[in-house]
Amino acid sequence: VGNTVNPATAQQLAQDTGARVVAIYTDSLSDAAGPAATYIAALNQLVTDLNTDIKAITGQTSDVHLVTSQLASFVTYGKSAPTIALALLDAANANPLIHLAVPHSILMRNDTDQIHLQRESYKKKGAYFGKVIKRVCVDGATWSPVQPVSAKRQGSVVVLKFHVPRGPLVLDTINVRINTDYGFSLVDSGGSAITISSVQLLGDDRVKITAATAIPAGAFVRYAWVQNTDVPAWGFVAGLGVVPIYVGW
């Protein structure tokens, strides 16, 4: 962990101000391989170790929460699947001390390496981190980011229902660069593309995707995966009928 203070300073700050420590975790952007189970186990152990060590140093009794972001660089690094991005979400959904604040897929990368973020994106990322830290550590509330919680397929239509912390859900083309079909794509069980005819919102928390043909069993919905002419490809995949994995605001 970089930019740390020494134990004596941390202890004094905690005693003088009543402050509590929150861990900010930003993983290596190149860490896009698996296996997922190994990564999740290591991340959970990190949280356990942070709580043991920090509480001993500062004397705080409150838990140490870890706030992180979701990687989106697997395509850039030639990986076939976003293994660690999915693992980060799974860990955050399972461990109440891990909080996924924002996915990199909605943030702009710099033009030099298409990996690191632009300055404004780092600023936005920091705002997301601050939002989550206040929510869980100051307000004492829980946090779960925008993510689909169900997918229903019928004929040529699939409807995704989202968890939305603060509605309504929007297809944002102002703060997020526009992509074909708003970033959604469909593939069959073999990975072949299924043409999408339309993407539209239903109410405050659902997205309706209509394909040009009937959607076969075993198909997948992907988000922020397909590369547009000026939009780098990165993103995540979800099977129809299971809990999908896009996360955001």
Side-chain angles (χ1 to χ4, degrees), residues 123-207:
K123 181 179 179 181
K124 184 180 293 185
K125 178 179 174 179
Y128 277 99
F129 274 50
K131 173 189 176 76
V132 175
I133 291 170
K134 180 180 184 299
R135 179 74 62 88
V136 300
C137 295
V138 178
D139 299 340
T142 58
W143 168 257
S144 180
V146 169
Q147 57 181 304
V149 295
S150 67
K152 296 183 178 180
R153 171 181 60 93
Q154 183 174 0
S156 61
V157 173
V158 58
V159 175
L160 303 175
K161 181 177 175 61
F162 287 77
H163 163 72
V164 184
R166 181 179 179 182
L169 187 68
V170 298
L171 297 174
D172 188 353
T173 59
I174 297 175
N175 298 300
V176 180
R177 187 182 292 184
I178 185 65
N179 204 340
T180 303
D181 297 318
Y182 297 100
F184 289 96
S185 59
L186 284 169
V187 296
D188 62 21
S189 58
S192 297
I194 300 171
T195 301
I196 293 177
S197 297
S198 65
V199 176
Q200 63 186 104
L201 292 171
L202 293 179
D204 292 340
D205 62 357
R206 292 176 295 160
V207 172

Side-chain angles (χ1 to χ4, degrees), residues 17-147:
T17 67
R20 53 188 295 187
V21 174
V22 178
I24 301 297
Y25 179 73
T26 301
D27 201 355
S28 168
L29 295 175
S30 64
D31 194 356
T38 301
Y39 185 92
I40 292 173
L43 191 59
N44 286 329
Q45 186 60 53
L46 173 62
V47 173
T48 298
D49 292 344
L50 286 170
N51 272 272
T52 299
D53 296 342
I54 290 173
K55 288 178 179 179
I57 292 170
T58 66
Q60 72 182 63
T61 58
S62 56
D63 287 329
V64 177
H65 291 256
L66 184 146
V67 181
T68 188
S69 56
Q70 189 177 46
L71 304 177
S73 53
F74 78 98
V75 172
T76 305
Y77 282 100
K79 307 298 182 181
S80 60
T83 304
I84 300 307
L86 300 185
L88 283 163
L89 177 64
D90 288 342
N93 283 338
N95 189 329
L97 296 182
I98 300 176
H99 309 282
L100 191 52
V102 59
H104 283 200
S105 60
I106 68 170
L107 302 173
M108 294 296 296
R109 302 183 187 187
N110 69 56
D111 295 329
T112 302
D113 60 15
Q114 292 296 342
I115 296 172
H116 296 91
L117 303 178
Q118 295 181 5
R119 288 180 297 177
E120 285 301 311
S121 289
Y122 280 116
K123 181 179 179 181
K124 184 180 293 185
K125 178 179 174 179
Y128 277 99
F129 274 50
K131 173 189 176 76
V132 175
I133 291 170
K134 180 180 184 299
R135 179 74 62 88
V136 300
C137 295
V138 178
D139 299 340
T142 58
W143 168 257
S144 180
V146 169
Q147 57 181 304

Side-chain angles (χ1 to χ4, degrees), residues 179 227-231:
N179 204 340
Q227 185 170 355
N228 205 349
T229 55
D230 62 346
V231 183

